[in-house]
Amino acid sequence: MKSMAALPVSSAKFVLGLDLGTTSIKVVLLDSQSRTVVNSSSFPTNSEINNEKYEHAREQDPARIIGAVDQCMDVLPTEKLRDVICIGVSGQMHGVIFWKTKTGCEWSSSDAGHTFRPRDVSQMITWQDGRCGSDFLSSLPKPESHLNVSTGYGCASIFWYTRHRPEFLWEFSVSGTIQDYVVSMLCGLEGCVMTAQNAASWGYFNTACSQWNTDVLKGAGFPVHLLPVPVQSGSMAGQTCSEWHGIPAGTPVGAALGDFQCSVYSCMVDRTDAVLNMSTSAQLTFAMPADFSPPREPDPLSPIAYFPYFGNTYLAVAAALNGGNAMATFVGMLTNWMKEFGLELSEAQVYSKLIQCGLTQPSTDLRVTPTLLGERHDPTCLGLVSHISPASLSLGHTTRAICRGILANLAAMMPPRTLLAAGVKRIMGSGSALTRNEVLRQEAERMFPLPVVYGKDVDSAIGVAMFFNDKL
């Protein structure tokens, strides 16, 4: 437990970066002058909820998420938290959580300082939620936006509840992403403010005028009173309404940003850099010219989308649903098979062994298309294994083929020629899946005819801290 004893006054000042990811929380303390990370911590959320009532539902428990945030904060030194001058928050995009105005959380105090816990809130419906099938999505009104609406997007999920469980929505008065919820609670906001980055990820948001498609949504019976107030990416949401883990009350808090944009901000050194981020899912992106304007209407068959970035600019993004999760599914499958044979091995042991085997097999004729979740532009394109022969059934062949398939899927969405035509000079590789898997890194370097650079500290918690520090 952190001591709250009096400490010498420090001249150093820090920005806290907090990222609420799909499976883990990370916080960093960034020295405001040197722009270097001086402390960090990360904990898994273990927040997945098993909803057996609805097929394809993917939900998380906000109490466990906030519990993981508290675990991370408890690790950081109190003497530095007292010198935090700004808080930046990012998190998993697309998802939605609902809460009641004024009673969304309950504050309490202890020797470690003041903390809050969720009170009148719903479960979080994540970006991986699959309840909105193709038939349901085709029944929704056409958005006045350059971005498509997919299952797992906030507005699509709200439409689903409107039509299937309207009484559920009657309980709540506010909605937002999980990162918006945290910002709202820290600042004691009665409503919710949402940056264009997160609003665009929900669908039915026009980035050209930074407004929701209110008329379109109203006409379809959508509860528009639940929509957050849109603000510019980089705006301040308010100030901490209480001391929090040693951070003083009155500390400025930025409106929550998208984890993807923040991860890009942390590592895109030059505008000629592309960023390959591979963790649970996978993204390949590069910056569009400053004068670029996206098309007025979405192309539902295009694998490339244009996400709002900072300063009214856009990123061209191939956002694959299938990334590190494809390899994780293979690991889980093998682990479960071994359990059925009465053998106990941890997933970490299996993962490590697979990478070792893959490294001994530099090439393979086996073909694996690991699109287990389909893709947003082609939901029906599921996984496929072909070119199977007796010589290609080893763990080495299979691991190599899965890793190559993950990269091949991304390269099909954003071909190398697209990167070259955009003037991209190198690819910055990032993400937990790339970091821990040398086979994936090898396949990335083979797939793209550009230098792939690793080693820079790349993640959303650092990116959101860097961004708000740069604004100070």
Side-chain angles (χ1 to χ4, degrees), residues 202-316:
W202 268 25
Y204 293 98
F205 185 80
N206 189 316
T207 59
C209 61
S210 293
Q211 295 294 328
W212 297 105
N213 299 168
T214 309
D215 291 341
V216 173
L217 293 170
K218 275 184 181 177
F222 185 98
V224 294
H225 68 279
L226 289 173
L227 290 173
V229 176
V231 296
Q232 187 176 2
S233 299
S235 300
M236 304 309 294
Q239 299 177 335
T240 49
C241 63
S242 166
E243 175 270 328
W244 181 59
H245 285 283
I247 297 176
T251 300
V253 182
L257 298 172
D259 56 355
F260 175 69
Q261 287 89 340
C262 290
S263 68
V264 172
Y265 192 87
S266 73
C267 65
M268 187 180 278
V269 179
D270 299 310
R271 292 189 67 84
T272 56
D273 290 342
V275 176
L276 170 62
N277 183 60
M278 194 166 290
S279 47
T280 304
S281 54
Q283 303 89 24
L284 182 58
T285 185
F286 61 87
M288 297 299 291
D291 59 354
F292 170 80
S293 294
R296 293 177 63 100
E297 295 183 353
D299 179 357
L301 300 180
S302 174
I304 296 178
Y306 299 99
F307 287 9
Y309 192 44
F310 296 106
N312 297 317
T313 62
Y314 290 85
L315 298 170

Side-chain angles (χ1 to χ4, degrees), residues 176-197:
T177 64
I178 184 65
Q179 56 267 32
D180 294 318
Y181 167 76
V182 168
V183 166
S184 296
M185 298 307 104
L186 287 177
C187 296
L189 303 180
E190 291 193 3
C192 176
V193 296
M194 181 183 271
T195 60
Q197 292 179 1

Side-chain angles (χ1 to χ4, degrees), residues 10-279:
S10 168
S11 60
K13 300 298 179 184
F14 307 96
V15 174
L16 180 83
L18 164 61
D19 179 61
L20 298 104
T22 305
T23 58
S24 64
I25 305 296
K26 182 170 183 179
V27 295
V28 302
L29 280 174
L30 187 82
D31 185 286
S32 182
Q33 287 196 332
S34 66
R35 290 182 92 239
T36 58
V37 175
V38 293
N39 294 94
S40 69
S41 64
S42 179
F43 282 92
T45 57
N46 299 315
S47 59
E48 198 80 18
I49 298 172
N50 185 19
N51 187 333
E52 297 179 352
K53 189 174 181 181
Y54 296 104
E55 191 178 8
H56 307 305
R58 295 295 297 271
E59 299 173 354
Q60 293 182 353
D61 180 355
R64 294 184 196 171
I65 294 172
I66 300 305
V69 171
D70 290 335
Q71 283 183 287
C72 288
M73 295 297 293
D74 284 339
V75 173
L76 302 181
T78 301
E79 65 272 17
K80 290 179 181 174
L81 290 172
R82 286 173 172 160
D83 289 318
V84 167
I85 56 174
C86 183
I87 299 172
V89 182
S90 67
Q92 50 176 303
M93 297 156 67
H94 308 296
V96 57
I97 183 172
F98 305 90
W99 65 94
K100 287 184 180 179
T101 301
K102 297 183 179 179
T103 59
C105 75
E106 197 167 63
W107 284 87
S108 61
S109 61
S110 68
D111 291 343
H114 287 75
T115 60
F116 69 88
R117 61 188 179 120
R119 187 175 167 191
D120 293 328
V121 304
S122 71
Q123 70 279 21
M124 183 179 67
I125 298 92
T126 78
W127 61 272
Q128 295 172 309
D129 192 87
R131 274 174 278 196
C132 301
S134 55
D135 289 344
F136 181 85
L137 291 171
S138 64
S139 74
L140 300 182
K142 186 178 179 181
E144 293 177 353
S145 168
H146 73 280
L147 294 167
N148 289 304
V149 178
S150 298
T151 187
Y153 282 27
C155 283
S157 296
I158 295 174
F159 262 126
W160 188 92
Y161 276 99
T162 300
R163 296 185 183 181
H164 295 281
R165 284 189 62 198
E167 70 282 358
F168 170 83
L169 296 177
W170 300 341
E171 300 180 35
F172 305 104
S173 53
V174 192
S175 69
T177 64
I178 184 65
Q179 56 267 32
D180 294 318
Y181 167 76
V182 168
V183 166
S184 296
M185 298 307 104
L186 287 177
C187 296
L189 303 180
E190 291 193 3
C192 176
V193 296
M194 181 183 271
T195 60
Q197 292 179 1
N198 287 316
S201 80
W202 268 25
Y204 293 98
F205 185 80
N206 189 316
T207 59
C209 61
S210 293
Q211 295 294 328
W212 297 105
N213 299 168
T214 309
D215 291 341
V216 173
L217 293 170
K218 275 184 181 177
F222 185 98
V224 294
H225 68 279
L226 289 173
L227 290 173
V229 176
V231 296
Q232 187 176 2
S233 299
S235 300
M236 304 309 294
Q239 299 177 335
T240 49
C241 63
S242 166
E243 175 270 328
W244 181 59
H245 285 283
I247 297 176
T251 300
V253 182
L257 298 172
D259 56 355
F260 175 69
Q261 287 89 340
C262 290
S263 68
V264 172
Y265 192 87
S266 73
C267 65
M268 187 180 278
V269 179
D270 299 310
R271 292 189 67 84
T272 56
D273 290 342
V275 176
L276 170 62
N277 183 60
M278 194 166 290
S279 47

Side-chain angles (χ1 to χ4, degrees), residues 220-429:
F222 185 98
V224 294
H225 68 279
L226 289 173
L227 290 173
V229 176
V231 296
Q232 187 176 2
S233 299
S235 300
M236 304 309 294
Q239 299 177 335
T240 49
C241 63
S242 166
E243 175 270 328
W244 181 59
H245 285 283
I247 297 176
T251 300
V253 182
L257 298 172
D259 56 355
F260 175 69
Q261 287 89 340
C262 290
S263 68
V264 172
Y265 192 87
S266 73
C267 65
M268 187 180 278
V269 179
D270 299 310
R271 292 189 67 84
T272 56
D273 290 342
V275 176
L276 170 62
N277 183 60
M278 194 166 290
S279 47
T280 304
S281 54
Q283 303 89 24
L284 182 58
T285 185
F286 61 87
M288 297 299 291
D291 59 354
F292 170 80
S293 294
R296 293 177 63 100
E297 295 183 353
D299 179 357
L301 300 180
S302 174
I304 296 178
Y306 299 99
F307 287 9
Y309 192 44
F310 296 106
N312 297 317
T313 62
Y314 290 85
L315 298 170
V317 186
L321 296 175
N322 303 276
N325 50 7
M327 190 68 186
T329 300
F330 181 55
V331 170
M333 181 188 77
L334 292 178
T335 305
N336 289 333
W337 281 4
M338 284 184 283
K339 282 181 182 177
E340 292 186 33
F341 282 109
L343 302 173
E344 288 287 341
L345 276 179
S346 70
E347 291 196 351
Q349 289 173 304
V350 174
Y351 203 115
S352 176
K353 184 63 177 178
L354 290 177
I355 294 173
Q356 290 176 26
C357 293
L359 291 173
T360 65
Q361 189 63 51
S363 64
T364 181
D365 292 330
L366 186 67
R367 296 287 182 267
V368 176
T369 304
T371 49
L372 303 177
L373 303 177
E375 291 295 353
R376 293 188 177 103
H377 66 284
D378 191 1
T380 61
C381 180
L382 300 179
L384 180 70
V385 181
S386 63
H387 294 74
I388 305 170
S389 70
S392 63
L393 295 177
S394 70
L395 286 179
H397 278 275
T398 308
T399 301
R400 175 67 63 177
I402 291 172
C403 291
R404 184 175 60 192
I406 292 170
L407 270 302
N409 177 54
L410 205 54
M413 295 173 67
M414 184 176 282
R417 65 178 180 275
T418 301
L419 298 175
L420 295 172
V424 171
K425 303 296 184 188
R426 64 177 178 174
I427 297 173
M428 308 295 289

